[in-house]
Amino acid sequence: TAHGLLSPLITECLPLAHCRHVSLRYRSNRCVLRVNVSGVQRMLRNLINNALTYTPPGGSVLIGCRRQGGALWIWCMDTGVGMTQAQLSMSFDAFTQFDQGAKSLRTLGLGLYSFQKIAQQSGFKTRWHSTPGKGTMIGFAVPLA
């Protein structure tokens, strides 16, 4: 189920969210999915870690699901720094990082690149939207069983 897929990831990422003073929550969903669990969890882990990295203290990250036709859209929405349209287009390239001023990022810039590659290999549709200063939404559709 979607709940069985999401719940362990949220539990795994809660300590990092707590350390960064970011609220991490998800909306439970009991739809039955037909997916490679480890691949989808890797995609979600990359989205969550990316959202936690770029969301300032006091912000929030929400993982939500919405059924649409024969698929379940899984969304990662944050109240982070957001990106311009140009940055968003480049963010799915390998080793892409954006200057965060004094904030020291210990990342390789592979999270969204890896997310996109797994989505392509799995045949998942993806969508994203970002607004500078307001946050980012990234989602993908997985097939229902």
Side-chain angles (χ1 to χ4, degrees), residues 14-59:
L14 275 174
L16 178 59
H18 181 73
C19 286
R20 295 188 179 194
H21 305 285
V22 173
S23 167
L24 173 61
R25 24 187 207 107
Y26 83 106
R27 300 291 302 201
S28 183
N29 188 296
R30 302 237 180 245
C31 285
V32 178
L33 309 174
R34 191 181 61 214
V35 296
N36 173 320
V37 172
S38 62
V40 171
Q41 284 185 330
R42 184 172 169 203
M43 291 173 67
L44 283 166
R45 187 175 291 111
N46 286 340
L47 290 179
I48 293 168
N49 285 332
N50 200 64
L52 291 174
T53 297
Y54 291 100
T55 300

Side-chain angles (χ1 to χ4, degrees), residues 16-124:
L16 178 59
H18 181 73
C19 286
R20 295 188 179 194
H21 305 285
V22 173
S23 167
L24 173 61
R25 24 187 207 107
Y26 83 106
R27 300 291 302 201
S28 183
N29 188 296
R30 302 237 180 245
C31 285
V32 178
L33 309 174
R34 191 181 61 214
V35 296
N36 173 320
V37 172
S38 62
V40 171
Q41 284 185 330
R42 184 172 169 203
M43 291 173 67
L44 283 166
R45 187 175 291 111
N46 286 340
L47 290 179
I48 293 168
N49 285 332
N50 200 64
L52 291 174
T53 297
Y54 291 100
T55 300
S60 65
V61 175
L62 171 66
I63 306 301
C65 301
R66 181 166 299 255
R67 189 178 182 153
Q68 187 176 17
L72 183 72
W73 278 88
I74 302 174
W75 290 93
C76 180
M77 300 164 273
D78 67 56
T79 60
V81 296
M83 294 178 268
T84 65
Q85 211 45 45
Q87 288 175 320
L88 189 57
S89 297
M90 294 183 328
S91 69
F92 293 96
D93 295 338
F95 305 110
T96 300
Q97 296 177 335
F98 300 110
D99 181 26
Q100 295 298 307
K103 184 176 182 179
S104 173
L105 297 178
R106 292 192 175 120
T107 67
L108 295 174
L110 292 172
L112 293 181
Y113 171 79
S114 178
F115 161 81
Q116 185 70 6
K117 287 299 176 194
I118 295 170
Q120 287 172 345
Q121 292 168 353
S122 302
F124 298 156

